[in-house]
Amino acid sequence: MPINQQILLDNRPQGEAVASNFKLVSAQTPALADGQVLVRHHYLSLDPYMRGRMNESKSYAASQPLGEVMIGGTVGEVVESRNAKYAVGDKVVGMGGWQEYSVVDANAPGALRKVDTTHVPLSHYLGAVGMPGVTAWYGLVKIIAPKEGDTVVVSAATGAVGSAFAALAKARGCRVVGIAGGTDKCKYATEELGFDACIDYKVHGDVKAMAKALKEACPNGIDGYFENVGGWIMDAVMLRMNAFSRIALCGMIAGYDGAPLPMSNPALILINRMKIEGFIVSEHMEVWPDALKELGMLVGTGKLRPRETIAQGIAAAPEAFLGLLKGKNFGKQLVKLI
């Protein structure tokens, strides 16, 4: 059996996450039992939600246990099978974690899903045609529910969720405005992702400046907002929201280090009769088939051209993850494991 390199959560962050919170170990992969398969991971997904799991606190999901392999989505290939539904060579997506191999009970509901790489690259099943893409789809279609001609805004616009959101919103006839950090990201948003405008939060670095930039980019106000960040950016967007507008609340990366994120003007929720709904995409598995079908079509036809930042090797995962939390990645952050 092959040797499996793994990254464990060794200790919990005290404030900002650091590389020493993680530990690299090696372990022998166990022999398979009936119904199990051995998957060799090709790519590991790094996502902001992982930071929240590192804390020991009440949340929508259990905290990441200390001394265990870090949680994470993976795509790879079945290299050994004792399950009739899976053959050696099948390409699969699952939650294999921060490691090179995983032993999976392939009969467990949702544990593994076969994917077709004929028209969609394997890595995209961790981004545009995976959990981030479905997250964008659910927030847009089920919560914001835009009409043609609506103006919608998304923060972290060039990440895996934001880029899928743009393609999905443009397909529905919306004006789409992004918020991202840096000239290169904003240029990518408008020139490759199809955003009508993108605001650089590094240039418009406080509530007043951001609200002014949003007024110029959204002359008819904002009908729907997809929130990935929270903090002062959300405060600025709230100032430009229309009556009966909707906010899909997906991430609050500005508060992942543990400090609470106060809202500066909550009265706007009442004044504008706004709908704000938080959601966790794994609780809505019923929409995944429809969402993945549309996302796959958008990628296959070139209407969604996701970008990836790829770190090499499992040992690079902690630093790549810390860079993601600081916005250093461009598009979807992955670790290539093979």
Side-chain angles (χ1 to χ4, degrees):
M1 300 298 289
I3 297 296
N4 184 21
Q5 288 199 97
Q6 306 170 313
I7 301 273
L8 315 181
L9 181 63
D10 187 59
N11 55 84
R12 301 202 185 278
Q14 305 299 314
E16 188 173 316
V18 293
S20 58
N21 296 140
F22 304 96
K23 184 179 182 181
L24 176 66
V25 301
S26 295
Q28 189 89 38
T29 56
L32 298 185
D34 285 342
Q36 292 182 331
V37 299
L38 179 64
V39 179
R40 175 68 165 104
H41 302 152
H42 289 205
Y43 291 95
L44 162 67
S45 174
L46 298 179
D47 299 281
Y49 77 83
M50 296 168 175
R51 176 61 189 85
R53 299 284 186 94
M54 293 170 71
N55 297 333
E56 191 169 33
S57 59
K58 183 179 182 300
S59 187
Y60 62 86
S63 297
Q64 165 71 37
L66 291 177
E68 294 190 12
V69 175
M70 271 292 293
I71 187 173
T74 50
V75 288
E77 182 176 349
V78 175
V79 292
E80 185 182 345
S81 177
R82 293 190 64 181
N83 188 298
K85 299 175 188 173
Y86 292 87
V88 171
D90 282 348
K91 301 297 192 297
V92 292
V93 59
M95 293 294 289
W98 292 28
Q99 55 183 342
E100 294 174 326
Y101 292 86
S102 60
V103 173
V104 184
D105 177 1
N107 291 322
L112 277 186
R113 178 168 57 90
K114 292 183 192 179
V115 294
D116 182 358
T117 58
T118 307
H119 301 293
V120 177
L122 182 61
S123 60
H124 285 9
Y125 285 104
L126 291 175
V129 195
M131 180 270 289
V134 180
T135 299
W137 191 97
Y138 188 89
L140 178 71
V141 175
K142 296 297 186 180
I143 298 176
I144 295 174
K147 303 184 300 293
E148 187 172 354
D150 277 1
T151 296
V152 295
V153 175
V154 59
S155 54
T158 60
V161 174
S163 56
F165 180 90
L168 293 164
K170 290 304 293 182
R172 287 160 175 77
C174 297
R175 176 172 176 78
V176 189
V177 176
I179 300 171
T183 303
D184 289 345
K185 288 185 177 181
C186 287
K187 185 177 179 183
Y188 167 60
T190 55
E191 294 185 1
E192 292 189 46
L193 293 177
F195 281 89
D196 295 288
C198 187
I199 301 167
D200 186 350
Y201 68 77
K202 294 182 178 180
V203 174
H204 307 278
D206 57 34
V207 171
K208 185 176 179 180
M210 178 58 69
K212 183 180 178 183
L214 283 164
K215 185 176 182 179
E216 293 174 1
C218 309
N220 296 321
I222 300 170
D223 301 298
Y225 177 47
F226 193 105
E227 178 61 281
N228 288 307
V229 177
W232 67 269
I233 290 179
M234 185 173 180
D235 287 336
V237 174
M238 293 274 286
L239 293 170
R240 304 305 314 157
M241 299 295 287
N242 288 331
F244 304 105
S245 51
R246 291 82 63 198
I247 295 180
L249 194 59
C250 171
M252 302 287 274
I253 197 169
Y256 282 176
D257 287 339
L261 291 178
M263 184 181 288
S264 66
N265 200 347
L268 290 168
I269 300 170
L270 173 60
I271 292 166
N272 287 320
R273 287 84 81 207
M274 291 166 57
K275 171 186 173 182
I276 301 179
E277 184 175 338
F279 73 99
I280 307 302
V281 74
S282 59
E283 295 176 349
H284 303 281
M285 298 306 294
E286 73 283 355
V287 309
W288 282 58
D290 286 344
L292 291 171
K293 182 178 179 181
E294 182 177 357
L295 291 158
M297 182 192 69
L298 289 170
V299 170
T301 57
K303 293 178 180 176
L304 172 52
R305 293 184 287 173
R307 221 185 252 197
E308 297 170 334
T309 297
I310 299 178
Q312 297 290 331
I314 191 67
E319 288 295 349
F321 175 64
L322 299 176
L324 164 74
L325 296 178
K326 295 181 182 298
K328 293 181 180 179
N329 61 301
F330 210 124
K332 175 66 190 175
Q333 179 66 62
L334 299 169
V335 182
K336 195 171 189 292
L337 301 175
I338 196 167

PDB file of all heavy atoms in Angstrom, residues 21-54:
ATOM      1  N   ASN A  21       0.040  26.190  12.758  1.00  0.00           N
ATOM      2  CA  ASN A  21      -1.203  25.523  13.175  1.00  0.00           C
ATOM      3  C   ASN A  21      -1.333  24.146  12.535  1.00  0.00           C
ATOM      4  O   ASN A  21      -2.135  23.317  12.976  1.00  0.00           O
ATOM      5  CB  ASN A  21      -2.432  26.352  12.787  1.00  0.00           C
ATOM      6  CG  ASN A  21      -2.514  27.698  13.474  1.00  0.00           C
ATOM      7  OD1 ASN A  21      -2.886  28.693  12.861  1.00  0.00           O
ATOM      8  ND2 ASN A  21      -2.157  27.752  14.755  1.00  0.00           N
ATOM      9  N   PHE A  22      -0.540  23.889  11.488  1.00  0.00           N
ATOM     10  CA  PHE A  22      -0.658  22.654  10.713  1.00  0.00           C
ATOM     11  C   PHE A  22       0.570  21.763  10.930  1.00  0.00           C
ATOM     12  O   PHE A  22       1.634  22.237  11.311  1.00  0.00           O
ATOM     13  CB  PHE A  22      -0.792  22.966   9.224  1.00  0.00           C
ATOM     14  CG  PHE A  22      -1.949  23.882   8.890  1.00  0.00           C
ATOM     15  CD1 PHE A  22      -1.734  25.247   8.741  1.00  0.00           C
ATOM     16  CD2 PHE A  22      -3.231  23.378   8.741  1.00  0.00           C
ATOM     17  CE1 PHE A  22      -2.792  26.104   8.442  1.00  0.00           C
ATOM     18  CE2 PHE A  22      -4.287  24.224   8.441  1.00  0.00           C
ATOM     19  CZ  PHE A  22      -4.072  25.588   8.290  1.00  0.00           C
ATOM     20  N   LYS A  23       0.414  20.492  10.628  1.00  0.00           N
ATOM     21  CA  LYS A  23       1.515  19.541  10.774  1.00  0.00           C
ATOM     22  C   LYS A  23       1.474  18.547   9.616  1.00  0.00           C
ATOM     23  O   LYS A  23       0.423  17.978   9.311  1.00  0.00           O
ATOM     24  CB  LYS A  23       1.391  18.801  12.109  1.00  0.00           C
ATOM     25  CG  LYS A  23       2.531  17.843  12.417  1.00  0.00           C
ATOM     26  CD  LYS A  23       2.297  17.186  13.777  1.00  0.00           C
ATOM     27  CE  LYS A  23       3.429  16.247  14.151  1.00  0.00           C
ATOM     28  NZ  LYS A  23       3.186  15.600  15.477  1.00  0.00           N
ATOM     29  N   LEU A  24       2.613  18.338   8.967  1.00  0.00           N
ATOM     30  CA  LEU A  24       2.746  17.370   7.877  1.00  0.00           C
ATOM     31  C   LEU A  24       3.202  16.034   8.442  1.00  0.00           C
ATOM     32  O   LEU A  24       4.209  15.970   9.155  1.00  0.00           O
ATOM     33  CB  LEU A  24       3.754  17.884   6.847  1.00  0.00           C
ATOM     34  CG  LEU A  24       4.094  16.944   5.683  1.00  0.00           C
ATOM     35  CD1 LEU A  24       2.886  16.723   4.789  1.00  0.00           C
ATOM     36  CD2 LEU A  24       5.260  17.514   4.865  1.00  0.00           C
ATOM     37  N   VAL A  25       2.465  14.959   8.122  1.00  0.00           N
ATOM     38  CA  VAL A  25       2.825  13.620   8.589  1.00  0.00           C
ATOM     39  C   VAL A  25       2.711  12.641   7.419  1.00  0.00           C
ATOM     40  O   VAL A  25       2.139  12.958   6.371  1.00  0.00           O
ATOM     41  CB  VAL A  25       1.914  13.149   9.748  1.00  0.00           C
ATOM     42  CG1 VAL A  25       2.004  14.093  10.932  1.00  0.00           C
ATOM     43  CG2 VAL A  25       0.467  12.995   9.277  1.00  0.00           C
ATOM     44  N   SER A  26       3.251  11.460   7.603  1.00  0.00           N
ATOM     45  CA  SER A  26       3.113  10.386   6.624  1.00  0.00           C
ATOM     46  C   SER A  26       2.474   9.183   7.304  1.00  0.00           C
ATOM     47  O   SER A  26       2.742   8.897   8.471  1.00  0.00           O
ATOM     48  CB  SER A  26       4.473   9.979   6.054  1.00  0.00           C
ATOM     49  OG  SER A  26       5.046  11.042   5.324  1.00  0.00           O
ATOM     50  N   ALA A  27       1.611   8.488   6.551  1.00  0.00           N
ATOM     51  CA  ALA A  27       0.933   7.324   7.103  1.00  0.00           C
ATOM     52  C   ALA A  27       0.752   6.287   6.004  1.00  0.00           C
ATOM     53  O   ALA A  27       0.654   6.620   4.823  1.00  0.00           O
ATOM     54  CB  ALA A  27      -0.427   7.720   7.678  1.00  0.00           C
ATOM     55  N   GLN A  28       0.720   5.019   6.402  1.00  0.00           N
ATOM     56  CA  GLN A  28       0.454   3.937   5.456  1.00  0.00           C
ATOM     57  C   GLN A  28      -1.044   3.924   5.144  1.00  0.00           C
ATOM     58  O   GLN A  28      -1.875   4.034   6.051  1.00  0.00           O
ATOM     59  CB  GLN A  28       0.857   2.603   6.071  1.00  0.00           C
ATOM     60  CG  GLN A  28       0.832   1.431   5.113  1.00  0.00           C
ATOM     61  CD  GLN A  28       2.153   1.256   4.391  1.00  0.00           C
ATOM     62  OE1 GLN A  28       3.205   1.444   4.957  1.00  0.00           O
ATOM     63  NE2 GLN A  28       2.070   0.901   3.119  1.00  0.00           N
ATOM     64  N   THR A  29      -1.412   3.817   3.868  1.00  0.00           N
ATOM     65  CA  THR A  29      -2.835   3.685   3.546  1.00  0.00           C
ATOM     66  C   THR A  29      -3.299   2.288   3.945  1.00  0.00           C
ATOM     67  O   THR A  29      -2.609   1.299   3.686  1.00  0.00           O
ATOM     68  CB  THR A  29      -3.100   3.903   2.047  1.00  0.00           C
ATOM     69  OG1 THR A  29      -2.297   3.000   1.296  1.00  0.00           O
ATOM     70  CG2 THR A  29      -2.788   5.323   1.633  1.00  0.00           C
ATOM     71  N   PRO A  30      -4.460   2.186   4.592  1.00  0.00           N
ATOM     72  CA  PRO A  30      -4.910   0.877   5.071  1.00  0.00           C
ATOM     73  C   PRO A  30      -5.452   0.012   3.937  1.00  0.00           C
ATOM     74  O   PRO A  30      -5.807   0.508   2.865  1.00  0.00           O
ATOM     75  CB  PRO A  30      -6.037   1.242   6.045  1.00  0.00           C
ATOM     76  CG  PRO A  30      -6.547   2.556   5.554  1.00  0.00           C
ATOM     77  CD  PRO A  30      -5.361   3.279   4.984  1.00  0.00           C
ATOM     78  N   ALA A  31      -5.522  -1.270   4.175  1.00  0.00           N
ATOM     79  CA  ALA A  31      -6.133  -2.190   3.212  1.00  0.00           C
ATOM     80  C   ALA A  31      -7.619  -1.899   3.109  1.00  0.00           C
ATOM     81  O   ALA A  31      -8.255  -1.451   4.076  1.00  0.00           O
ATOM     82  CB  ALA A  31      -5.904  -3.625   3.657  1.00  0.00           C
ATOM     83  N   LEU A  32      -8.188  -2.131   1.937  1.00  0.00           N
ATOM     84  CA  LEU A  32      -9.588  -1.830   1.709  1.00  0.00           C
ATOM     85  C   LEU A  32     -10.503  -2.920   2.263  1.00  0.00           C
ATOM     86  O   LEU A  32     -10.207  -4.110   2.167  1.00  0.00           O
ATOM     87  CB  LEU A  32      -9.871  -1.672   0.212  1.00  0.00           C
ATOM     88  CG  LEU A  32      -9.147  -0.550  -0.536  1.00  0.00           C
ATOM     89  CD1 LEU A  32      -9.655  -0.479  -1.978  1.00  0.00           C
ATOM     90  CD2 LEU A  32      -9.327   0.788   0.154  1.00  0.00           C
ATOM     91  N   ALA A  33     -11.636  -2.479   2.802  1.00  0.00           N
ATOM     92  CA  ALA A  33     -12.711  -3.394   3.169  1.00  0.00           C
ATOM     93  C   ALA A  33     -13.713  -3.449   2.020  1.00  0.00           C
ATOM     94  O   ALA A  33     -13.670  -2.627   1.095  1.00  0.00           O
ATOM     95  CB  ALA A  33     -13.389  -2.911   4.453  1.00  0.00           C
ATOM     96  N   ASP A  34     -14.635  -4.382   2.068  1.00  0.00           N
ATOM     97  CA  ASP A  34     -15.669  -4.467   1.030  1.00  0.00           C
ATOM     98  C   ASP A  34     -16.457  -3.161   0.965  1.00  0.00           C
ATOM     99  O   ASP A  34     -16.824  -2.592   2.006  1.00  0.00           O
ATOM    100  CB  ASP A  34     -16.627  -5.619   1.334  1.00  0.00           C
ATOM    101  CG  ASP A  34     -16.003  -6.980   1.039  1.00  0.00           C
ATOM    102  OD1 ASP A  34     -14.989  -7.023   0.299  1.00  0.00           O
ATOM    103  OD2 ASP A  34     -16.518  -7.991   1.553  1.00  0.00           O
ATOM    104  N   GLY A  35     -16.695  -2.689  -0.257  1.00  0.00           N
ATOM    105  CA  GLY A  35     -17.448  -1.460  -0.461  1.00  0.00           C
ATOM    106  C   GLY A  35     -16.588  -0.219  -0.529  1.00  0.00           C
ATOM    107  O   GLY A  35     -17.071   0.855  -0.895  1.00  0.00           O
ATOM    108  N   GLN A  36     -15.305  -0.338  -0.180  1.00  0.00           N
ATOM    109  CA  GLN A  36     -14.423   0.826  -0.161  1.00  0.00           C
ATOM    110  C   GLN A  36     -13.640   0.960  -1.468  1.00  0.00           C
ATOM    111  O   GLN A  36     -13.451  -0.004  -2.209  1.00  0.00           O
ATOM    112  CB  GLN A  36     -13.446   0.739   1.006  1.00  0.00           C
ATOM    113  CG  GLN A  36     -14.092   0.869   2.374  1.00  0.00           C
ATOM    114  CD  GLN A  36     -13.073   0.831   3.490  1.00  0.00           C
ATOM    115  OE1 GLN A  36     -12.005   0.214   3.372  1.00  0.00           O
ATOM    116  NE2 GLN A  36     -13.382   1.497   4.596  1.00  0.00           N
ATOM    117  N   VAL A  37     -13.171   2.191  -1.725  1.00  0.00           N
ATOM    118  CA  VAL A  37     -12.260   2.452  -2.839  1.00  0.00           C
ATOM    119  C   VAL A  37     -11.099   3.296  -2.319  1.00  0.00           C
ATOM    120  O   VAL A  37     -11.229   4.022  -1.327  1.00  0.00           O
ATOM    121  CB  VAL A  37     -12.952   3.183  -4.020  1.00  0.00           C
ATOM    122  CG1 VAL A  37     -14.085   2.355  -4.586  1.00  0.00           C
ATOM    123  CG2 VAL A  37     -13.445   4.562  -3.607  1.00  0.00           C
ATOM    124  N   LEU A  38      -9.964   3.185  -2.996  1.00  0.00           N
ATOM    125  CA  LEU A  38      -8.807   4.022  -2.705  1.00  0.00           C
ATOM    126  C   LEU A  38      -8.698   5.062  -3.813  1.00  0.00           C
ATOM    127  O   LEU A  38      -8.632   4.717  -5.000  1.00  0.00           O
ATOM    128  CB  LEU A  38      -7.529   3.187  -2.642  1.00  0.00           C
ATOM    129  CG  LEU A  38      -6.222   3.951  -2.367  1.00  0.00           C
ATOM    130  CD1 LEU A  38      -6.251   4.582  -0.980  1.00  0.00           C
ATOM    131  CD2 LEU A  38      -5.011   3.036  -2.526  1.00  0.00           C
ATOM    132  N   VAL A  39      -8.705   6.332  -3.425  1.00  0.00           N
ATOM    133  CA  VAL A  39      -8.642   7.433  -4.389  1.00  0.00           C
ATOM    134  C   VAL A  39      -7.289   8.123  -4.279  1.00  0.00           C
ATOM    135  O   VAL A  39      -6.856   8.478  -3.172  1.00  0.00           O
ATOM    136  CB  VAL A  39      -9.774   8.458  -4.146  1.00  0.00           C
ATOM    137  CG1 VAL A  39      -9.680   9.607  -5.147  1.00  0.00           C
ATOM    138  CG2 VAL A  39     -11.138   7.783  -4.234  1.00  0.00           C
ATOM    139  N   ARG A  40      -6.623   8.290  -5.400  1.00  0.00           N
ATOM    140  CA  ARG A  40      -5.394   9.096  -5.480  1.00  0.00           C
ATOM    141  C   ARG A  40      -5.818  10.487  -5.875  1.00  0.00           C
ATOM    142  O   ARG A  40      -6.357  10.702  -6.956  1.00  0.00           O
ATOM    143  CB  ARG A  40      -4.451   8.498  -6.542  1.00  0.00           C
ATOM    144  CG  ARG A  40      -3.185   9.337  -6.790  1.00  0.00           C
ATOM    145  CD  ARG A  40      -2.274   9.322  -5.578  1.00  0.00           C
ATOM    146  NE  ARG A  40      -0.935   9.789  -5.873  1.00  0.00           N
ATOM    147  CZ  ARG A  40      -0.481  11.001  -5.523  1.00  0.00           C
ATOM    148  NH1 ARG A  40      -1.264  11.878  -4.948  1.00  0.00           N
ATOM    149  NH2 ARG A  40       0.781  11.328  -5.769  1.00  0.00           N
ATOM    150  N   HIS A  41      -5.631  11.444  -4.976  1.00  0.00           N
ATOM    151  CA  HIS A  41      -6.075  12.813  -5.241  1.00  0.00           C
ATOM    152  C   HIS A  41      -5.158  13.495  -6.252  1.00  0.00           C
ATOM    153  O   HIS A  41      -3.935  13.425  -6.126  1.00  0.00           O
ATOM    154  CB  HIS A  41      -6.093  13.627  -3.944  1.00  0.00           C
ATOM    155  CG  HIS A  41      -6.971  13.049  -2.895  1.00  0.00           C
ATOM    156  ND1 HIS A  41      -6.755  13.224  -1.555  1.00  0.00           N
ATOM    157  CD2 HIS A  41      -8.085  12.269  -2.996  1.00  0.00           C
ATOM    158  CE1 HIS A  41      -7.687  12.594  -0.865  1.00  0.00           C
ATOM    159  NE2 HIS A  41      -8.502  12.001  -1.720  1.00  0.00           N
ATOM    160  N   HIS A  42      -5.749  14.161  -7.220  1.00  0.00           N
ATOM    161  CA  HIS A  42      -4.984  14.957  -8.172  1.00  0.00           C
ATOM    162  C   HIS A  42      -4.927  16.421  -7.733  1.00  0.00           C
ATOM    163  O   HIS A  42      -3.903  17.080  -7.907  1.00  0.00           O
ATOM    164  CB  HIS A  42      -5.605  14.860  -9.567  1.00  0.00           C
ATOM    165  CG  HIS A  42      -5.410  13.523 -10.212  1.00  0.00           C
ATOM    166  ND1 HIS A  42      -5.408  13.346 -11.577  1.00  0.00           N
ATOM    167  CD2 HIS A  42      -5.211  12.282  -9.686  1.00  0.00           C
ATOM    168  CE1 HIS A  42      -5.225  12.073 -11.864  1.00  0.00           C
ATOM    169  NE2 HIS A  42      -5.105  11.409 -10.734  1.00  0.00           N
ATOM    170  N   TYR A  43      -6.052  16.918  -7.182  1.00  0.00           N
ATOM    171  CA  TYR A  43      -6.116  18.315  -6.732  1.00  0.00           C
ATOM    172  C   TYR A  43      -6.856  18.388  -5.408  1.00  0.00           C
ATOM    173  O   TYR A  43      -7.819  17.649  -5.170  1.00  0.00           O
ATOM    174  CB  TYR A  43      -6.859  19.197  -7.738  1.00  0.00           C
ATOM    175  CG  TYR A  43      -6.144  19.409  -9.043  1.00  0.00           C
ATOM    176  CD1 TYR A  43      -6.416  18.597 -10.135  1.00  0.00           C
ATOM    177  CD2 TYR A  43      -5.211  20.442  -9.206  1.00  0.00           C
ATOM    178  CE1 TYR A  43      -5.773  18.776 -11.345  1.00  0.00           C
ATOM    179  CE2 TYR A  43      -4.571  20.635 -10.415  1.00  0.00           C
ATOM    180  CZ  TYR A  43      -4.855  19.797 -11.481  1.00  0.00           C
ATOM    181  OH  TYR A  43      -4.215  19.989 -12.688  1.00  0.00           O
ATOM    182  N   LEU A  44      -6.407  19.306  -4.567  1.00  0.00           N
ATOM    183  CA  LEU A  44      -7.075  19.660  -3.318  1.00  0.00           C
ATOM    184  C   LEU A  44      -7.607  21.082  -3.441  1.00  0.00           C
ATOM    185  O   LEU A  44      -6.906  21.974  -3.931  1.00  0.00           O
ATOM    186  CB  LEU A  44      -6.078  19.577  -2.152  1.00  0.00           C
ATOM    187  CG  LEU A  44      -6.454  20.298  -0.844  1.00  0.00           C
ATOM    188  CD1 LEU A  44      -7.653  19.630  -0.184  1.00  0.00           C
ATOM    189  CD2 LEU A  44      -5.251  20.318   0.112  1.00  0.00           C
ATOM    190  N   SER A  45      -8.841  21.285  -3.012  1.00  0.00           N
ATOM    191  CA  SER A  45      -9.441  22.617  -3.008  1.00  0.00           C
ATOM    192  C   SER A  45      -9.142  23.322  -1.688  1.00  0.00           C
ATOM    193  O   SER A  45      -9.272  22.727  -0.612  1.00  0.00           O
ATOM    194  CB  SER A  45     -10.963  22.481  -3.174  1.00  0.00           C
ATOM    195  OG  SER A  45     -11.594  23.726  -3.042  1.00  0.00           O
ATOM    196  N   LEU A  46      -8.746  24.582  -1.772  1.00  0.00           N
ATOM    197  CA  LEU A  46      -8.598  25.422  -0.582  1.00  0.00           C
ATOM    198  C   LEU A  46      -9.696  26.493  -0.625  1.00  0.00           C
ATOM    199  O   LEU A  46      -9.857  27.173  -1.637  1.00  0.00           O
ATOM    200  CB  LEU A  46      -7.218  26.064  -0.528  1.00  0.00           C
ATOM    201  CG  LEU A  46      -6.043  25.078  -0.440  1.00  0.00           C
ATOM    202  CD1 LEU A  46      -4.715  25.819  -0.420  1.00  0.00           C
ATOM    203  CD2 LEU A  46      -6.165  24.171   0.787  1.00  0.00           C
ATOM    204  N   ASP A  47     -10.429  26.614   0.479  1.00  0.00           N
ATOM    205  CA  ASP A  47     -11.603  27.490   0.515  1.00  0.00           C
ATOM    206  C   ASP A  47     -11.670  28.261   1.828  1.00  0.00           C
ATOM    207  O   ASP A  47     -11.248  27.745   2.876  1.00  0.00           O
ATOM    208  CB  ASP A  47     -12.877  26.655   0.355  1.00  0.00           C
ATOM    209  CG  ASP A  47     -12.915  25.905  -0.967  1.00  0.00           C
ATOM    210  OD1 ASP A  47     -13.237  26.529  -1.977  1.00  0.00           O
ATOM    211  OD2 ASP A  47     -12.595  24.698  -0.976  1.00  0.00           O
ATOM    212  N   PRO A  48     -12.239  29.472   1.799  1.00  0.00           N
ATOM    213  CA  PRO A  48     -12.290  30.287   3.018  1.00  0.00           C
ATOM    214  C   PRO A  48     -13.011  29.640   4.193  1.00  0.00           C
ATOM    215  O   PRO A  48     -12.656  29.897   5.342  1.00  0.00           O
ATOM    216  CB  PRO A  48     -13.022  31.557   2.553  1.00  0.00           C
ATOM    217  CG  PRO A  48     -12.723  31.664   1.096  1.00  0.00           C
ATOM    218  CD  PRO A  48     -12.692  30.240   0.602  1.00  0.00           C
ATOM    219  N   TYR A  49     -14.033  28.798   3.944  1.00  0.00           N
ATOM    220  CA  TYR A  49     -14.782  28.205   5.053  1.00  0.00           C
ATOM    221  C   TYR A  49     -13.877  27.417   5.998  1.00  0.00           C
ATOM    222  O   TYR A  49     -14.200  27.245   7.184  1.00  0.00           O
ATOM    223  CB  TYR A  49     -15.905  27.302   4.524  1.00  0.00           C
ATOM    224  CG  TYR A  49     -15.457  25.947   4.023  1.00  0.00           C
ATOM    225  CD1 TYR A  49     -15.244  24.884   4.907  1.00  0.00           C
ATOM    226  CD2 TYR A  49     -15.223  25.717   2.675  1.00  0.00           C
ATOM    227  CE1 TYR A  49     -14.810  23.642   4.446  1.00  0.00           C
ATOM    228  CE2 TYR A  49     -14.796  24.483   2.209  1.00  0.00           C
ATOM    229  CZ  TYR A  49     -14.589  23.453   3.098  1.00  0.00           C
ATOM    230  OH  TYR A  49     -14.146  22.233   2.639  1.00  0.00           O
ATOM    231  N   MET A  50     -12.744  26.938   5.477  1.00  0.00           N
ATOM    232  CA  MET A  50     -11.846  26.122   6.293  1.00  0.00           C
ATOM    233  C   MET A  50     -11.312  26.906   7.491  1.00  0.00           C
ATOM    234  O   MET A  50     -11.036  26.325   8.548  1.00  0.00           O
ATOM    235  CB  MET A  50     -10.681  25.610   5.451  1.00  0.00           C
ATOM    236  CG  MET A  50     -11.120  24.678   4.325  1.00  0.00           C
ATOM    237  SD  MET A  50      -9.766  24.366   3.159  1.00  0.00           S
ATOM    238  CE  MET A  50     -10.529  23.163   2.079  1.00  0.00           C
ATOM    239  N   ARG A  51     -11.176  28.220   7.325  1.00  0.00           N
ATOM    240  CA  ARG A  51     -10.661  29.036   8.431  1.00  0.00           C
ATOM    241  C   ARG A  51     -11.620  29.002   9.616  1.00  0.00           C
ATOM    242  O   ARG A  51     -11.194  28.891  10.775  1.00  0.00           O
ATOM    243  CB  ARG A  51     -10.433  30.484   7.950  1.00  0.00           C
ATOM    244  CG  ARG A  51      -9.983  31.447   9.052  1.00  0.00           C
ATOM    245  CD  ARG A  51      -8.658  31.038   9.676  1.00  0.00           C
ATOM    246  NE  ARG A  51      -8.345  31.824  10.844  1.00  0.00           N
ATOM    247  CZ  ARG A  51      -8.780  31.549  12.076  1.00  0.00           C
ATOM    248  NH1 ARG A  51      -9.551  30.490  12.289  1.00  0.00           N
ATOM    249  NH2 ARG A  51      -8.443  32.304  13.095  1.00  0.00           N
ATOM    250  N   GLY A  52     -12.916  29.091   9.336  1.00  0.00           N
ATOM    251  CA  GLY A  52     -13.891  29.031  10.418  1.00  0.00           C
ATOM    252  C   GLY A  52     -13.873  27.698  11.135  1.00  0.00           C
ATOM    253  O   GLY A  52     -14.052  27.630  12.361  1.00  0.00           O
ATOM    254  N   ARG A  53     -13.637  26.614  10.400  1.00  0.00           N
ATOM    255  CA  ARG A  53     -13.617  25.279  11.006  1.00  0.00           C
ATOM    256  C   ARG A  53     -12.423  25.099  11.947  1.00  0.00           C
ATOM    257  O   ARG A  53     -12.437  24.222  12.808  1.00  0.00           O
ATOM    258  CB  ARG A  53     -13.561  24.207   9.914  1.00  0.00           C
ATOM    259  CG  ARG A  53     -14.741  24.198   8.958  1.00  0.00           C
ATOM    260  CD  ARG A  53     -15.988  23.585   9.553  1.00  0.00           C
ATOM    261  NE  ARG A  53     -17.035  23.486   8.564  1.00  0.00           N
ATOM    262  CZ  ARG A  53     -17.272  22.410   7.815  1.00  0.00           C
ATOM    263  NH1 ARG A  53     -16.511  21.342   7.950  1.00  0.00           N
ATOM    264  NH2 ARG A  53     -18.257  22.406   6.939  1.00  0.00           N
ATOM    265  N   MET A  54     -11.375  25.893  11.740  1.00  0.00           N
ATOM    266  CA  MET A  54     -10.190  25.774  12.593  1.00  0.00           C
ATOM    267  C   MET A  54     -10.454  26.276  14.012  1.00  0.00           C
ATOM    268  O   MET A  54      -9.750  25.899  14.950  1.00  0.00           O
ATOM    269  CB  MET A  54      -9.014  26.545  11.977  1.00  0.00           C
ATOM    270  CG  MET A  54      -8.507  25.945  10.676  1.00  0.00           C
ATOM    271  SD  MET A  54      -7.320  27.023   9.837  1.00  0.00           S
ATOM    272  CE  MET A  54      -5.891  26.881  10.951  1.00  0.00           C
TER     273      MET A  54
END
